[in-house]
Amino acid sequence: MVKISKETHVKAKKGQILILVLILMAVGLIVISPLLHYLNSSYNLYLNKLNDTMAYYTADAVMGKIFSDIYAGEDIYILNKSDSTRYNNQSATGWLNGYKISTSVNNSIAEPPPPSGSEYADWIYIDPGCALGLNSLANGATHTFKVYLTAETTVTAHWYFKDTKAGSCNYYCKGRMWIAYENESKVQYVNSSYVDTGEKMNGVSTAFDQTLSWIVPQGGSGNYKIEFQNLAVRGSGTGCPNQSRSMSVMTAKPTFSGIGDPLYTWVRMGNSSGGQVYQYQDYTITTTARLASTNTNIASVTACVRQTPGPLIWWKHQSLAVVSWTVTYY
């Protein structure tokens, strides 16, 4: 019979504990390593989703500000390309929630127009300054009418004045009209010719009766000037030396008509399609949020909206219909 001492028995147990510890460590490595990897992946996924969510909230907040401005009739900030800071901010540290913001606006979307008979289906007639500027316009002087024009709007300027022959003196109603950008350079038609009547004279002692029309091109919304230049003279008769004529001494001075009467002076604006005039404005607006720390696009919101009656009728209550809403993650 083999006799096992107490000392030998204790040593045997110590070996078993070591094996169990090694087994537990191996199992721990097998379980904990994937668990840590899972936690790391989950955390990174959470950060990505958080970035996406915060970027969306930022882009959505800017879009909300744009909508608010449209409702308030302050949509000039959207259309005026020279104002690039209100909805665009490229701060190095981020502007809102740590994101940079950029906004782009297209003034037209391919949607059917409002139904015929709309309360806003009519041309807008505006006085270019007959009461003050045009009625007293000196010879050789130019009257400037500043106006904000939106893309695809048809703008028509009509100028009427008349001088009557007195005795043997001949009167020549002569003038000129053109449209210029805010920086004074003349606008052009598609064929590159200037939108300018040139010097027009309708004959001896007959009225100056001229019309200038232009369709604002896509993306052309902005501040413009419609210029009226008086070149009227008297002369070419016995005892009639050449003499310049001021509007203040004309027989029929430029007078405004709010209905487009051809014997008056006016500026007419509006959108037309298929013979119908519509007063509304369509926009495709995209706001993009870029993470400032990495300078990478994260999310953008694109909304196609219709403003009625639109910026040409700013004094009316504005309504806004969202035609479509798209969210893009990069």
Side-chain angles (χ1 to χ4, degrees):
M1 178 180 293
V2 179
K3 185 177 179 180
I4 301 175
S5 66
K6 185 177 180 180
E7 183 181 352
T8 302
H9 182 67
V10 172
K11 289 182 178 180
K13 285 186 176 182
K14 286 183 178 178
Q16 292 174 359
I17 292 173
L18 178 60
I19 293 173
L20 288 174
V21 170
L22 292 175
I23 292 173
L24 288 175
M25 290 179 63
V27 172
L29 289 174
I30 294 172
V31 174
I32 294 176
S33 180
L35 179 61
L36 291 175
H37 180 72
Y38 170 76
L39 292 175
N40 182 66
S41 299
S42 298
Y43 180 69
N44 288 333
L45 183 61
Y46 163 75
L47 289 180
N48 290 335
K49 290 298 182 182
L50 180 62
N51 285 337
D52 288 349
T53 302
M54 294 302 292
Y56 167 73
Y57 286 161
T58 302
D60 180 68
V62 176
M63 187 68 74
K65 174 59 178 174
I66 293 173
F67 287 179
S68 177
D69 284 350
I70 293 177
Y71 279 123
E74 297 180 1
D75 43 287
I76 188 171
Y77 292 113
I78 300 173
L79 300 172
N80 193 346
K81 302 299 188 285
S82 64
D83 185 354
S84 60
T85 59
R86 191 173 179 87
Y87 309 117
N88 296 274
N89 195 303
Q90 303 300 311
S91 170
T93 58
W95 174 54
L96 183 62
N97 299 326
Y99 293 91
K100 299 179 179 181
I101 287 295
S102 60
T103 299
S104 64
V105 180
N106 187 321
N107 292 54
S108 179
I109 57 177
E111 289 293 326
S116 299
S118 166
E119 106 179 75
Y120 306 111
D122 200 2
W123 293 104
I124 301 298
Y125 289 92
I126 300 177
D127 183 355
C130 290
L132 299 175
L134 283 173
N135 277 352
S136 59
L137 190 61
N139 177 270
T142 299
H143 173 72
T144 299
F145 176 57
K146 296 182 179 181
V147 62
Y148 190 89
L149 301 177
T150 62
E152 300 184 345
T153 293
T154 298
V155 55
T156 301
H158 184 262
W159 192 11
Y160 182 93
F161 62 89
K162 186 177 181 180
D163 220 357
T164 303
K165 182 175 181 179
S168 61
C169 295
N170 295 324
Y171 289 85
Y172 299 90
C173 294
K174 186 178 180 182
R176 183 182 183 190
M177 291 187 293
W178 67 93
I179 301 177
Y181 296 106
E182 187 177 22
N183 64 4
E184 305 291 349
S185 62
K186 292 181 182 178
V187 303
Q188 296 180 333
Y189 292 108
V190 177
N191 62 5
S192 297
S193 62
Y194 290 122
V195 182
D196 188 344
T197 60
E199 294 184 4
K200 296 292 183 179
M201 184 166 59
N202 288 2
V204 177
S205 301
T206 58
F208 183 89
D209 184 5
Q210 295 294 329
T211 301
L212 188 69
S213 187
W214 183 56
I215 299 176
V216 184
Q218 175 68 25
S221 296
N223 295 317
Y224 291 85
K225 297 178 180 179
I226 302 176
E227 310 278 19
F228 301 82
Q229 186 179 33
N230 174 26
L231 300 171
V233 295
R234 183 193 75 173
S236 68
T238 303
C240 296
N242 290 337
Q243 185 181 57
S244 61
R245 296 287 285 175
S246 169
M247 288 290 161
S248 61
V249 297
M250 293 288 177
T251 303
K253 303 177 182 64
T255 307
F256 171 65
S257 167
I259 58 174
D261 191 310
L263 300 182
Y264 291 81
T265 297
W266 37 263
V267 171
R268 186 182 72 181
M269 296 188 298
N271 297 309
S272 61
S273 175
Q276 180 68 49
V277 180
Y278 302 101
Q279 299 301 339
Y280 66 92
Q281 182 63 57
D282 288 342
Y283 307 97
T284 300
I285 308 169
T286 299
T287 56
T288 302
R290 179 183 295 109
L291 191 61
S293 59
T294 60
N295 201 34
T296 55
N297 291 341
I298 303 298
S300 65
V301 174
T302 298
C304 295
V305 298
R306 168 163 291 169
Q307 177 191 10
T308 306
L312 295 183
I313 311 180
W314 54 267
W315 59 92
K316 292 277 190 177
H317 173 74
Q318 301 291 327
S319 63
L320 194 67
V322 179
V323 179
S324 66
W325 181 276
T326 304
V327 180
T328 302
Y329 294 101
Y330 298 92

